[in-house]
Amino acid sequence: MKIIDILQQDKVTLSFEVFPPKKESSFESVQNAARVIAALRPDFISITYGAAASGNSRFTMKLADSIHRDFGSEVLPHLTCVNSSHEFVKDMIQSYKELGIDNIMTLRGDLPEDGNVTGDYQHASDLIQDIKSQGDFCIGGACYPEGHVESKNKAEDIKYLKLKVDSGCDFLTTQMFFDNNIFYNFLYRIREAGIQVPVLAGIMPITNASQLGRSVQLSGSNVPERFRAIVDYFGSSPAAMKQAGIIYASEQIVDLIANGIKHIHVYTMNHPDVAAAIMSNLSAILNN
Ligand code: FAD
């Protein structure tokens, strides 16, 4: 089923994200985590794509196929295009078609260290046009409420986001954010710029203090004082930090839904317990 058809139903949607293992020997444990996450019945599960050099790119398809076929959840496998070729993408797309997977999350991927993009694609919009020409796929793309790190300013980023959507992107998922006002402001600006596709709000439950250093710094997301105080206070106590991080993310989601936001994507990162806690915190809200 196409994700755009799920998003167009008149209901709040909740989706989760998992990432593939780096080596075959870890596949089963990741698959088991995905099985438990799928049993929570999210609207779909996205599966990230490692940079080609990381060696785990082939596991994205294998994991997506298993979640789709064995666990019965709709899937959104990611595909990056930096340093990739038309031929490689054509093969991937053909394989997804054969597996009966209708959705692809299209990304450029992070630039190599020297900043030089080789291969057939410069931007995600090039990949979108290529995939659109090869079949009837539902296509997602990334967006950045605080601006992409390489962009000169937010206006320029939104100009290129419009180009991405006009290239055939059916919906957008945001980079993680911790301050909902940043998201509301972004939504207002992109709607004014004529971007009308559904936007999934990306929420990352921060469940240990070191995540603030790693993923959050990389994403460039602003960390509000309120959340910084939580990490300062509970960071050295793993169980308390986890609970506080889940509560913070749940509160963000409640506020989003109360303000009319219909689609929430949670970066659950192979943690079924985090996914289950979020689902449980929202059980009545999602059925409202
Ligand atoms: P693009 O849309 O190509 O944009 C990149 C930059 O180029 C932006 O600054 C944009 O403003 C600018 N730009 C776009 N088009 C043009 C143009 N025509 N001319 C000039 N400038 C332009 N990375 C992974 O490796 N694997 C993943 O699975 C993955 N999943 C992600 C999921 C989400 C929801 C998000 C938000 C990010 C994800 N990323 C992933 C990270 C992503 O690959 C990086 O943020 C990357 O740096 C940009 O990818 P993009 O698709 O947004 O690129």
Side-chain angles (χ1 to χ4, degrees), residues 22 45 182 203 231 272:
K22 284 200 167 57
I45 296 178
I182 290 174
I203 299 297
V231 179

Side-chain angles (χ1 to χ4, degrees), residues 5 10 36 52 54 59 70 81 86 108 124-125 131 162 171-172 180 183 192 212 222 224 233 236 239 254:
D5 293 331
D10 186 25
V36 183
S54 72
F59 294 126
D70 306 331
C81 63
H86 289 301
R108 184 198 66 185
S125 50
I131 296 176
K162 173 88 167 63
F171 66 92
L172 296 165
N180 288 358
F183 175 73
E192 275 223 305
L212 265 198
N222 171 55
Y233 195 82
S236 56
V254 171

Side-chain angles (χ1 to χ4, degrees), residues 154-206:
K154 286 185 189 172
E156 186 193 81
D157 204 30
I158 291 175
K159 182 178 94 182
Y160 289 125
L161 187 61
K162 173 88 167 63
L163 177 72
K164 183 147 75 177
V165 171
D166 291 346
S167 299
C169 187
D170 295 295
F171 66 92
L172 296 165
T173 304
T174 75
Q175 177 66 282
M176 67 180 90
F177 59 87
F178 301 97
D179 176 349
N180 288 358
N181 287 325
I182 290 174
F183 175 73
Y184 298 137
N185 186 274
F186 170 73
L187 206 55
Y188 177 79
R189 290 187 69 169
I190 65 167
R191 297 303 187 216
E192 275 223 305
I195 297 174
Q196 297 301 343
V197 294
V199 179
L200 281 64
I203 299 297
M204 164 83 102
I206 298 293

Side-chain angles (χ1 to χ4, degrees), residues 74-230:
E74 200 42 75
V75 287
L76 174 65
H78 294 199
L79 181 63
T80 64
C81 63
V82 70
N83 293 353
S84 190
S85 67
H86 289 301
E87 207 184 352
F88 178 79
V89 168
K90 199 171 161 206
D91 282 353
M92 293 288 284
I93 293 305
Q94 183 57 33
S95 302
Y96 278 125
K97 254 188 218 168
E98 285 163 14
L99 293 173
I101 291 176
D102 297 326
N103 310 292
I104 308 277
M105 179 74 179
T106 56
L107 300 140
R108 184 198 66 185
D110 286 326
L111 292 178
E113 267 174 24
D114 63 8
N116 288 327
V117 178
T118 56
D120 294 337
Y121 306 91
Q122 287 292 324
H123 295 290
S125 50
D126 305 328
L127 177 64
I128 293 169
Q129 286 168 14
D130 201 8
I131 296 176
K132 276 277 164 191
S133 72
Q134 291 176 44
D136 186 20
F137 281 91
C138 170
I139 293 186
C143 64
Y144 304 83
E146 298 175 61
H148 184 261
V149 283
E150 289 162 35
S151 290
K152 275 205 298 253
N153 52 52
K154 286 185 189 172
E156 186 193 81
D157 204 30
I158 291 175
K159 182 178 94 182
Y160 289 125
L161 187 61
K162 173 88 167 63
L163 177 72
K164 183 147 75 177
V165 171
D166 291 346
S167 299
C169 187
D170 295 295
F171 66 92
L172 296 165
T173 304
T174 75
Q175 177 66 282
M176 67 180 90
F177 59 87
F178 301 97
D179 176 349
N180 288 358
N181 287 325
I182 290 174
F183 175 73
Y184 298 137
N185 186 274
F186 170 73
L187 206 55
Y188 177 79
R189 290 187 69 169
I190 65 167
R191 297 303 187 216
E192 275 223 305
I195 297 174
Q196 297 301 343
V197 294
V199 179
L200 281 64
I203 299 297
M204 164 83 102
I206 298 293
T207 53
N208 66 69
S210 63
Q211 273 175 290
L212 265 198
R214 280 182 279 114
S215 22
V216 178
Q217 238 171 41
L218 274 178
S219 74
S221 306
N222 171 55
V223 181
E225 270 313 305
R226 191 169 91 81
F227 190 56
R228 220 171 262 290
I230 291 173

